[in-house]
């Protein structure tokens, strides 16, 4: 299916502003870029995305493998959106964008006037995809969402590993990757819906929710039987 001719890509003409950091949001933005979207990545002045320094390994010109794994096919610029000038530039970019992917801290978004509600009030056709550890509402809304903790809290670690051994994490940051996939699906659905409705949408995705949903038959078995699932090692039921 890849690569697409530039004028025939499914998301040709769709601009995405990727203001997210680390993995879940950037991975979502990369998927949209793979589909032909024009993805512009915003990074912090001076340091850029956290993952630029996560290594080794690094390429000969100093790019980390981690950063490259979730940021291909994007354009990039640094911008301090907390400054008045940067905030103005940010909104000018949004005015020309179809999608915003962000994982702002809840308190930071409120302080800067960048909550989904305020963004949609100013940019009514924008699709705002907010990614966080535990969602934008609820008692854990301000807690950081680290993949390791999410795998533990969701129960994913408890079903992973040898049957007689301790719980184990999955070998990659799977909660982030799954959330990026859910985010891309939700954004595509909203782009389709906007063609009929004419208005934008706010998407609120939590890593914990996505990690729980990913356990499909194991989670349903618990809901059906009430029995806590056990580790199965390499067997598959």
């Amino acid at each position: 299916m890849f690569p697409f001719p530039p004028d025939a890509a499914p998301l040709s003409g769709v601009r995405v502003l990727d203001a997210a950091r680390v993995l879940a949001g950037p991975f979502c933005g990369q998927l949209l870029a793979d589909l032909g979207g024009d993805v512009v990545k915003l990074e912090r002045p001076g340091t850029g995305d956290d993952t630029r320094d996560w290594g080794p390994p690094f390429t000969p010109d100093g790019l980390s493998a981690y950063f490259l794994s979730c940021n291909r096919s994007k354009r990039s610029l640094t911008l301090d959106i907390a400054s008045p000038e940067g905030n103005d530039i940010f909104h000018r970019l949004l005015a020309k964008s179809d999608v915003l992917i962000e994982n702002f801290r809840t308190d930071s978004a409120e302080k800067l006037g960048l909550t989904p509600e305020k963004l949609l009030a100013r940019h009514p056709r924008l699709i705002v995809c907010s990614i966080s550890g535990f969602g934008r509402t609820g008692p854990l809304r301000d807690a950081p969402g680290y993949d390791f903790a999410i795998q533990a809290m969701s129960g994913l670690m408890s079903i992973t590993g040898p049957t007689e051994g301790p719980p184990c994490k999955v070998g990659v940051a799977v909660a982030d990757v799954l959330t990026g996939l859910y985010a891309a699906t939700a954004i595509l659905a909203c782009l389709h819906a906007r063609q009929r409705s004419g208005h934008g949408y706010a998407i609120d995705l939590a890593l914990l929710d996505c990690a729980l949903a990913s356990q499909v038959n194991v989670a349903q078995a618990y809901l059906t039987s009430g029995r806590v699932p056990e580790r199965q090692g390499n067997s598959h039921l």
Side-chain angles (χ1 to χ4, degrees):
M1 173 164 109
F2 302 111
F4 300 106
D7 59 347
L11 293 186
S12 176
V14 173
R15 174 170 287 181
V16 179
L17 197 57
D18 179 1
R21 299 164 39 234
V22 187
L23 184 52
F27 185 70
C28 170
Q30 179 174 266
L31 292 172
L32 299 180
D34 286 344
L35 293 171
D38 176 15
V39 181
V40 178
K41 181 176 178 65
L42 296 187
E43 301 187 57
R44 292 177 296 182
T47 59
D49 191 297
D50 308 52
T51 60
R52 284 186 178 272
D53 295 325
W54 289 9
F58 294 95
T59 64
D61 55 355
L63 285 173
S64 77
Y66 201 119
F67 178 83
L68 291 172
S69 73
C70 50
N71 287 292
R72 66 172 172 261
S73 303
K74 301 178 186 179
R75 296 188 288 160
S76 181
L77 75 154
T78 59
L79 186 65
D80 179 10
I81 60 176
S83 70
E85 181 183 12
N87 192 273
D88 178 66
I89 294 172
F90 182 60
H91 281 288
R92 282 192 281 158
L93 288 168
L94 288 177
K96 298 179 180 180
S97 299
D98 298 285
V99 178
L100 169 66
I101 305 170
E102 57 91 357
N103 58 358
F104 304 142
R105 285 176 44 180
T106 304
D107 56 350
S108 296
E110 292 173 349
K111 179 181 179 181
L112 296 173
L114 300 179
T115 61
E117 295 79 10
K118 290 187 177 180
L119 287 170
L120 284 173
R122 188 164 176 175
H123 308 282
R125 284 182 53 83
L126 186 66
I127 295 165
V128 182
C129 182
S130 301
I131 296 175
S132 60
F134 304 97
R136 295 300 187 194
T137 60
L140 294 176
R141 53 180 256 164
D142 295 320
Y146 296 109
D147 182 89
F148 200 121
I150 296 296
Q151 289 196 39
M153 294 179 69
S154 68
L156 187 59
M157 285 177 61
S158 75
I159 60 170
T160 304
T163 55
E164 301 301 326
C168 296
K169 70 179 291 291
V170 179
V172 298
V174 68
D176 280 282
V177 173
L178 289 166
T179 301
L181 288 165
Y182 275 107
T185 301
I187 288 168
L188 293 174
C190 288
L191 285 170
H192 178 70
R194 192 181 67 176
Q195 294 178 348
R196 300 191 309 272
S197 69
H199 61 69
Y201 294 88
I203 302 165
D204 182 2
L205 272 177
L207 271 69
L208 181 62
D209 294 347
C210 295
L212 280 167
S214 72
Q215 294 174 57
V216 287
N217 61 299
V218 175
Q220 186 61 52
Y222 170 75
L223 293 174
T224 302
S225 68
R227 295 180 57 187
V228 176
E230 299 178 354
R231 286 181 292 284
Q232 301 176 20
N234 287 325
S235 64
H236 181 73
L237 299 180

